[in-house]
Amino acid sequence: DAGVIQSPRHEVTEMGQEVTLRCKPISGHNSLFWYRQTMMRGLELLIYFNNNVPIDDSGMPEDRFSAKMPNASFSTLKIQPSEPRDSAVYFCASSFGQTSTDTQYFGPGTRLTVL
Amino acid sequence: RKEVEQDPGPFNVPEGATVAFNCTYSNSASQSFFWYRQDCRKEPKLLMSVYSSGNEDGRFTAQLNRASQYISLLIRDSKLSDSATYLCVVNVPGTYKYIFGTGTRLKVLA
């Protein structure tokens, strides 16, 4: 079975450019999470969707970040304009349920470098 | 105090050794605990859940100590393939959220 799919796997862009990261959750999963991982801060939750509805976006760093989930099989995380401090690995994860006991399955991540 | 705290390591151990990691958490109301494994430049993957009574999966044993608010992971008979970063994960009570520790790096040496 296909796991969580993310694209692109690597993105190098210049400061000020718009960046769009994409995620396809595991079929049948109804919760989707976007995380950011850096050496300094570890893995941080940015936003969580349940049944395509954003439930909690308190982890989104600032207005430059936005996320959408137009349907159950697709989500995007957009950064506009991008800054060098946004450089990180961005993971998408999905789970079947919406409780904290449900296993979260992570995609391979998008490694973003903003020059 | 950090919500979830781990010794970053690295722990360098020879093959066949037994190694243990601890992780402390700050919220006494947390109910769900996990260990995830993350290989270099890969995504985190669930290694095992941690149950109140402790649980074992092959060479791996997880324990929970609620009184002292820590969880532990014991790896017996270490293999080269165990080399990875081990992430401690704790739920935020009343939410769906996990808090991930920054990880403990393990290197198993031949």
Side-chain angles (χ1 to χ4, degrees):
Chain A
D1 289 339
V4 176
I5 298 172
Q6 290 186 249
S7 65
R9 295 292 304 275
H10 301 273
E11 177 82 25
V12 180
T13 191
E14 291 189 346
M15 182 174 63
Q17 297 298 306
E18 177 178 296
V19 175
T20 299
L21 311 182
R22 297 172 177 80
C23 174
K24 177 179 169 56
I26 293 172
S27 178
H29 283 191
N30 57 21
S31 295
L32 184 141
F33 307 82
W34 281 102
Y35 289 89
R36 177 172 68 177
Q37 187 174 38
T38 60
M39 288 292 292
M40 291 300 295
R41 300 173 68 91
L43 206 58
E44 302 173 284
L45 178 65
L46 300 177
I47 187 169
Y48 156 67
F49 291 88
N50 181 252
N51 291 323
N52 313 339
V53 176
I55 303 299
D56 186 342
D57 64 355
S58 60
M60 296 285 261
E62 49 200 87
D63 291 345
R64 297 184 298 106
F65 285 69
S66 63
K68 294 182 180 179
M69 192 165 185
N71 57 62
S73 58
F74 184 64
S75 176
T76 59
L77 178 69
K78 187 176 292 187
I79 308 172
Q80 167 63 19
S82 57
E83 296 182 3
R85 61 191 167 121
D86 302 330
S87 298
V89 181
Y90 290 81
F91 288 104
C92 174
S94 70
S95 68
F96 177 71
Q98 58 173 323
T99 70
S100 61
T101 58
D102 295 308
T103 301
Q104 293 185 14
Y105 296 87
F106 283 75
T110 295
R111 187 169 297 272
L112 174 64
T113 302
V114 183
L115 302 174
Chain B
R1 182 181 176 186
K2 285 185 179 179
E3 292 177 283
V4 177
E5 204 149 5
Q6 296 183 250
D7 182 339
F11 284 59
N12 297 322
V13 302
E15 268 188 293
T18 295
V19 61
F21 314 133
N22 281 346
C23 163
T24 58
Y25 61 95
S26 62
N27 194 328
S28 59
S30 290
Q31 294 291 328
S32 302
F33 308 91
F34 309 88
W35 284 101
Y36 273 68
R37 170 192 169 130
Q38 186 172 24
D39 293 295
C40 187
R41 303 181 79 85
K42 298 285 189 180
E43 72 274 23
K45 291 184 180 179
L46 178 67
L47 177 66
M48 58 196 304
S49 301
V50 185
Y51 302 123
S52 297
S53 55
N55 47 301
E56 189 174 304
D57 182 2
R59 297 180 294 108
F60 299 84
T61 300
Q63 296 279 353
L64 167 64
N65 185 317
R66 287 193 185 275
S68 300
Q69 292 180 215
Y70 75 84
I71 65 172
S72 64
L73 178 67
L74 181 79
I75 306 175
R76 290 181 299 278
D77 188 24
S78 299
K79 311 291 185 190
L80 294 174
S81 57
D82 295 334
S83 297
T85 296
Y86 291 83
L87 304 172
C88 169
V89 185
V90 179
N91 81 301
V92 178
T95 79
Y96 51 83
K97 293 182 182 179
Y98 289 175
I99 301 293
F100 283 77
T102 51
T104 297
R105 193 170 168 203
L106 171 67
K107 290 185 181 179
V108 181
L109 308 171

